Amino acid sequence: AIPAAYFLGRIFSRRIGGTIAAAWTAVAAPLVDYSLEARAYSVLVLLILLSALALQKASDPSVIRRRWALTAFVVSTGLALYTHFVAFFWAIPALLILRMAAGRSTEPQALRDGRWAIIALCVLALPEIRPIIRYATEANAFGWLAQPNGEEFGALLLSQWLPRAGPLVVAIMLMTLLFLAFRARIFLSDWVRREPAAALTLAGLLLQPMMLWIFGFIVSPVVMPRTMLPSVPAVRLLLA
């Protein structure tokens, strides 16, 4: 996950951003804890990061590089789905991003390649539809798990995104981030226009916990520290 965070960070904000994101990912307490005690979740984070990395290259003008990237995207996303069903909360926005990126291309072959990748991933995902149906039909798939309210969800999110940071530290970091975003608003606006797939990828990873939380109200509670792990590197990428 550390090299994947580096390469994503380098795409988003050059080499220094990649270095900061990788270093911070390496010492992220939630990722370190689960790499030692529940390694399937570490594999899940790695596969989702690889999927996000491949997605950035999925609209490459070179046919060979584009097809290799699409193949890597399909394989890594499919393996993530087989690792844990919460990967669906990344796979769905990722497919939408891929469709948008393919649609922006002026090359008909790029659009066809994107469509084939979407079809291939949907076929790979079919066996994993069963857990979703099971969670939807059972009263509570995790019988011991309660749906957090807004305050509990916010506290849990902060404990994963900024572990061991008190309210004052969080407030200072948020104010600093908002100030820097305001100062760099022209650059950020230009970056979003030039690299919409990168911006949407970062947003999709950051919004994964929110989608899990909403899913809990509609279907069954699934919000836990370990199901929110894929969003942890995204916070490092954002701050880097």
Side-chain angles (χ1 to χ4, degrees):
I2 297 168
Y6 168 76
F7 286 112
L8 269 177
R10 195 169 72 170
I11 290 173
F12 292 164
S13 55
R14 301 184 181 179
R15 183 171 297 178
I16 183 63
T19 302
I20 295 172
W24 205 354
T25 298
V27 298
L31 297 178
V32 173
D33 291 344
Y34 281 101
S35 70
L36 297 174
E37 299 180 10
R39 293 187 179 181
Y41 291 95
S42 294
V43 174
L44 175 67
V45 172
L46 170 62
L47 291 170
I48 288 178
L49 287 178
L50 290 176
S51 170
L53 181 59
L55 186 58
Q56 307 313 301
K57 302 294 185 181
S59 56
D60 195 291
S62 168
V63 175
I64 295 176
R65 286 198 296 268
R66 182 176 65 243
R67 288 179 176 175
W68 273 111
L70 288 170
T71 301
F73 169 75
V74 171
V75 171
S76 57
T77 309
L79 290 175
L81 292 172
Y82 293 153
T83 301
H84 200 291
F85 94 96
V86 297
F88 273 103
F89 296 93
W90 157 250
I92 293 172
L95 285 174
L96 295 176
I97 295 169
L98 175 59
R99 178 64 183 84
M100 182 214 69
R104 286 170 56 90
S105 175
T106 57
E107 185 183 349
Q109 185 61 49
L111 181 59
R112 286 194 293 270
D113 289 344
R115 286 174 177 170
W116 278 114
I118 292 171
I119 292 171
L121 183 55
C122 289
V123 171
L124 277 178
L126 285 176
E128 291 302 303
I129 297 296
R130 185 168 171 268
I132 299 291
I133 297 174
R134 178 163 56 87
Y135 291 129
T137 53
E138 292 180 6
N140 188 343
F142 296 113
W144 47 269
L145 186 62
Q147 174 69 6
N149 59 33
E151 183 179 354
E152 292 168 340
F153 174 71
L156 182 61
L157 193 61
L158 285 177
S159 72
Q160 294 300 293
W161 283 7
L162 298 170
R164 304 185 182 94
L168 180 60
V169 174
V170 172
I172 292 173
M173 292 188 69
L174 286 176
M175 292 298 292
T176 303
L177 185 62
L178 289 173
F179 173 75
L180 292 175
F182 177 77
R183 289 288 301 272
R185 61 190 183 280
I186 297 176
F187 169 78
L188 291 174
S189 177
D190 182 61
W191 176 68
V192 170
R193 284 196 298 268
R194 286 186 292 104
E195 302 288 347
L200 289 172
T201 296
L202 190 57
L205 290 170
L206 289 170
L207 289 174
Q208 185 249 3
M210 180 64 71
M211 290 188 283
L212 291 174
W213 188 51
I214 294 172
F215 181 84
F217 286 110
I218 300 172
V219 182
S220 181
V222 291
V223 171
M224 293 179 284
R226 58 181 179 265
T227 58
M228 298 162 62
L229 282 179
S231 68
V232 173
V235 178
R236 274 66 183 166
L237 290 167
L238 176 65
L239 295 177

